[in-house]
Amino acid sequence: AQKVTQAQTEISVVEKEDVTLDCVYETRDTTYYLFWYKQPPSGELVFLIRRNSFDEQNEISGRYSWNFQKSTSSFNFTITASQVVDSAVYFCALSEASNTGKLIFGQGTTLQVKP
Amino acid sequence: DGGITQSPKYLFRKEGQNVTLSCEQNLNHDAMYWYRQDPGQGLRLIYYSQIVNDFQKGDIAEGYSVSREKKESFPLTVTSAQKNPTAFYLCASSMAGRDTQYFGPGTRLTVL
């Protein structure tokens, strides 16, 4: 069965601290996709990144970076120099092997960045 | 502006009433999805459609129905058979099955 685990339910940091959100996944598929979404208080899910299972290169986008390690089935997300606007719920998700596009979501990590 | 719209943002209904949630997209996406989110939980798939006039059940389809008569529209009906309908409902769309899904702003349904 496919599963995504985000063990950190809530994280609280002070502005400018770095913070890492953990994501561990389970799948028997050799081809899959991993995603991170941000859900601000308004509720809409905002797409952050999509990673192909064959591409283990780490990615950096501004203050955001992602570390994908197939050996440990992890896809962790780091925010450098956090800001109050980063406060949100962050979801990690895994796509099924079939072409249905069904996403399997983790429970989400609530990040609170205090000024 | 291209995007996904959901209406209304907040919806209140009495127990036993059917209610339909709207989802429209102008991204020319083939695939559309409905998810349900309960407090403190991740999203769960209700229904999805990869092409007009075709749709499939997701993990929690009981008590829900959908239609896909137009590419742009994928309305969700929450029927009286749904035991616990109060939740946040999110619609998403993607170019095709395994492409990135983009989400609408959501509808918060409260059944009184």
Side-chain angles (χ1 to χ4, degrees):
Chain A
Q2 294 173 310
K3 186 180 176 182
V4 175
T5 301
Q6 294 179 255
Q8 305 149 307
T9 305
E10 292 184 23
I11 301 176
S12 182
V13 299
V14 177
E15 208 169 18
K16 296 183 184 165
E17 282 186 30
D18 297 348
V19 58
T20 295
L21 282 60
D22 297 333
C23 174
V24 174
Y25 62 92
E26 295 174 29
T27 181
R28 289 186 203 154
D29 300 326
T30 54
T31 303
Y32 52 89
Y33 295 87
L34 294 163
F35 301 80
W36 275 97
Y37 286 89
K38 173 182 180 180
Q39 186 176 41
S42 60
E44 181 173 351
L45 260 70
V46 178
F47 166 71
L48 296 178
I49 190 170
R50 175 181 188 243
R51 176 61 71 205
N52 179 321
S53 57
F54 295 110
D55 182 1
E56 286 193 74
Q57 276 194 324
N58 291 334
E59 179 152 343
I60 298 174
S61 176
R63 296 185 297 107
Y64 295 171
S65 62
W66 291 268
N67 184 329
F68 177 29
Q69 292 196 348
K70 285 179 79 170
S71 60
T72 56
S73 296
S74 65
F75 186 43
N76 297 337
F77 172 32
T78 297
I79 301 174
T80 303
S82 60
Q83 299 176 2
V84 172
V85 293
D86 295 327
S87 297
V89 182
Y90 291 86
F91 289 99
C92 181
L94 167 73
S95 71
E96 273 196 336
S98 68
N99 288 327
T100 64
K102 175 185 170 182
L103 290 176
I104 296 148
F105 284 84
Q107 300 287 80
T109 296
T110 299
L111 173 65
Q112 184 181 31
V113 182
K114 298 177 182 176
Chain B
D1 266 46
I4 303 170
T5 57
Q6 291 186 244
S7 60
K9 190 168 178 63
Y10 298 95
L11 190 55
F12 297 88
R13 279 296 181 267
K14 291 183 179 178
E15 201 170 332
Q17 287 183 334
N18 290 359
V19 59
T20 297
L21 281 59
S22 167
C23 177
E24 304 276 332
Q25 55 97 358
N26 61 3
L27 300 168
N28 200 31
H29 285 172
D30 286 318
M32 296 186 75
Y33 309 82
W34 274 105
Y35 291 89
R36 170 182 170 138
Q37 184 181 20
D38 292 287
Q41 297 190 31
L43 281 68
R44 293 180 291 167
L45 183 66
I46 304 172
Y47 267 98
Y48 63 96
S49 168
Q50 293 185 292
I51 197 168
V52 175
N53 292 323
D54 188 44
F55 49 83
Q56 284 78 39
K57 293 181 180 180
D59 296 323
I60 55 166
E62 186 175 348
Y64 299 97
S65 66
V66 294
S67 63
R68 186 88 188 275
E69 296 175 3
K70 297 187 299 181
K71 187 175 184 177
E72 308 79 32
S73 179
F74 191 41
L76 173 75
T77 297
V78 184
T79 74
S80 56
Q82 168 50 232
K83 297 278 187 273
N84 185 17
T86 294
F88 188 51
Y89 292 87
L90 286 152
C91 178
S93 70
S94 65
M95 284 288 291
R98 297 190 76 178
D99 291 323
T100 297
Q101 291 180 29
Y102 295 93
F103 286 78
T107 293
R108 195 167 297 279
L109 173 64
T110 301
V111 175
L112 306 170

